[in-house]
Every structure is written in structure tokens, then in C-alpha cells.
Amino acid sequence: SPQDRLKLAVAQAAIDYIKPKLEPDTIVGIGTGSTAAFFIDLLAPLKGLFDGTVASSEASAEQLKGHGISVYDLNAVDNVAVYVDGADETNAQLELIKGGGAALTREKIITAVADEFVCIADESKWVDTLGAFPLPVEVIPMARAHVARELVKLGGDPVYRDGVVTDNGNHILDVHGLHIHNPKSLERAINGIVGVVTNGLFADRPADVLLLGTENGVKTFTA
Ligand code: DER
């Protein structure tokens, strides 16, 4: 599909961006989703140039292992040079909504560790104001109704992502109806709700680089 062509283009652009940085002991962080999946396939031929990876989901870990690429536990490494991952929405400040693939907690953990966060996305993800995509919030299952009531007070319309349990054994609420004019303050407000594990706003720590696939080629943005 045309969107897949754009995803492949940004995945290739990410390969071109990280290749000069790879050293024998480099650990590369790998995200989750269909764009990240294209990146993993393109990374495989380079596996002799770096040490290994950490992954933000079991699904990505399996795809990497399928290529013979080492996947480490994050506790076993003391540095992640670069983290490459997709997003559901990005604004011009490279503040993101993530979590469409239910991997937001491990994604945010790796972005906290990584020296550099490279976001790869097709142009459909670029928005002026975050929030058209329902904001994923990972919650401890017993707290789900409490967190939902608190999210309503913040102006949202939370919907339980029924049937989904995250890699961490938690549930997800997708919050509709938000027009997020101050992503950083909303991220902090949601984190303050007891029972919230992670929310999908990546604003306190936005992407460092955005590779955006457009019909006129891949555009590079820096925060
Ligand atoms: O769940 C996530 O955060 C993924 O990165 C997701 O937002 C991007 O998925 P896509 O590349 O399949 O659009």
C-alpha cells in the first residue's frame, strides 16, 4: 500500500541515519509496530556491525531473534546508543502519542535509557494538535474504573481496550476526545493518577529526531 511504501522509506532512512554510529559494542533499542517491523528487517544485514538490541515488546524480540540478532534484557546493558520506534501521532515539537501497539510502557522505559530517540513515521501521523488519536493509558487492572473516572475529570472519554493485556499484565484505557495543547502538563497530570502505570504521551522526553515519510520524500526534523 502507499502507506507501507512510506513506512519502508522511513525505515531505510533510519538505517542510513544509524549506520555510521554503529560500533562493535553498540546496543540498538528497537520499538514496536508495523514501521518498526520494516526497520527490523532492514537492520538484519547490519547485525555484524553492532553488539545487539533491546526490544520494547515480545513481538519485536521474536522478529529480531528470527534474524539471528541478539536481544538483551535491559538490565543487562548499561547503555543504549539509539532507540528507533514509530508513533501514532507527532506534533511539530516531536511530542508523541504512542501505545497503539500496547507496548507504551517498555517503549517509554527504553526512551528513558537511550542516548538518542529516533522516531520513524509516515506523514499520516503528523498533526498540529495531539489527541485525535485516542491516548493510550496503561493501568493496573484493579484501578481501571478509578483511573477512568479521574480521566473524565481531565476532559477525556476513556474506553477500555477490551481483551488486551500488555506484556506487563496490565490493561489499557484509550482516552478519546482530548485536544492536547500542553502535552507535558497533561502527561504529568495523568501520571499523578494512582493506578496509572504509563501514559502514551511522550512529551517530557520527546523524540530527538523525526524521520517523516512523505509523498515528496523523507523529511528530517530535530527537536
Ligand atoms: O504502539 C506504538 O507506540 C507503536 O509505535 C505505534 O504507535 C506505531 O505503529 P505503526 O508503526 O504500526 O503505525
Side-chain angles (χ1 to χ4, degrees):
S1 77
Q3 198 179 17
D4 280 357
R5 193 166 38 78
L6 297 181
K7 292 181 178 184
L8 185 59
V10 292
Q12 182 58 57
I15 292 289
D16 298 342
Y17 180 84
I18 72 166
K19 188 171 179 181
K21 302 171 183 258
L22 298 178
E23 311 214 334
D25 64 350
T26 299
I27 300 292
V28 179
I30 306 291
T32 296
S34 61
T35 312
F38 280 116
F39 176 77
I40 292 172
D41 287 342
L42 293 172
L43 184 67
L46 304 185
K47 69 186 175 191
L49 299 179
F50 60 96
D51 182 356
T53 62
V54 291
S56 64
S57 64
E58 298 306 320
S60 291
E62 288 313 308
Q63 189 184 351
L64 287 158
K65 290 174 192 166
H67 285 299
I69 298 173
S70 301
V71 181
Y72 291 101
D73 181 307
L74 187 62
N75 295 316
V77 307
D78 53 19
N79 179 268
V80 176
V82 60
Y83 179 60
V84 179
D85 196 1
D88 295 298
E89 279 187 346
T90 181
N91 66 17
Q93 290 70 43
L94 278 49
E95 298 166 323
L96 314 174
I97 286 185
K98 287 174 60 51
L104 63 161
T105 294
R106 297 187 182 187
E107 291 171 341
K108 198 175 259 192
I109 290 168
I110 302 177
T111 65
V113 171
D115 294 341
E116 189 175 23
F117 175 14
V118 177
C119 184
I120 51 177
D122 64 273
E123 58 190 352
S124 72
K125 311 302 182 63
W126 179 277
V127 297
D128 290 334
T129 306
L130 297 174
F133 188 93
L135 175 62
V137 179
E138 182 163 343
V139 300
I140 298 295
M142 79 174 281
R144 194 177 75 230
H146 164 68
V147 173
R149 288 189 293 269
E150 294 302 306
L151 289 167
V152 168
K153 294 177 189 172
L154 292 175
D157 171 19
V159 176
Y160 172 39
R161 199 182 300 185
D162 200 354
V164 169
V165 177
T166 69
D167 286 347
N168 313 302
N170 297 316
H171 290 174
I172 290 184
L173 294 169
D174 292 304
V175 189
H176 297 248
L178 294 170
H179 306 279
I180 306 170
H181 297 292
N182 191 330
K184 289 183 178 62
S185 65
L186 183 61
E187 180 176 6
R188 284 196 287 275
I190 296 175
N191 285 340
I193 302 171
V194 172
V196 167
V197 174
T198 307
N199 76 84
L201 279 170
F202 285 54
D204 257 348
R205 201 259 192 267
D208 297 296
V209 176
L210 170 68
L211 301 175
L212 189 74
T214 79
E215 287 308 327
N216 304 316
V218 175
K219 297 192 174 8
T220 302
F221 299 84
T222 53

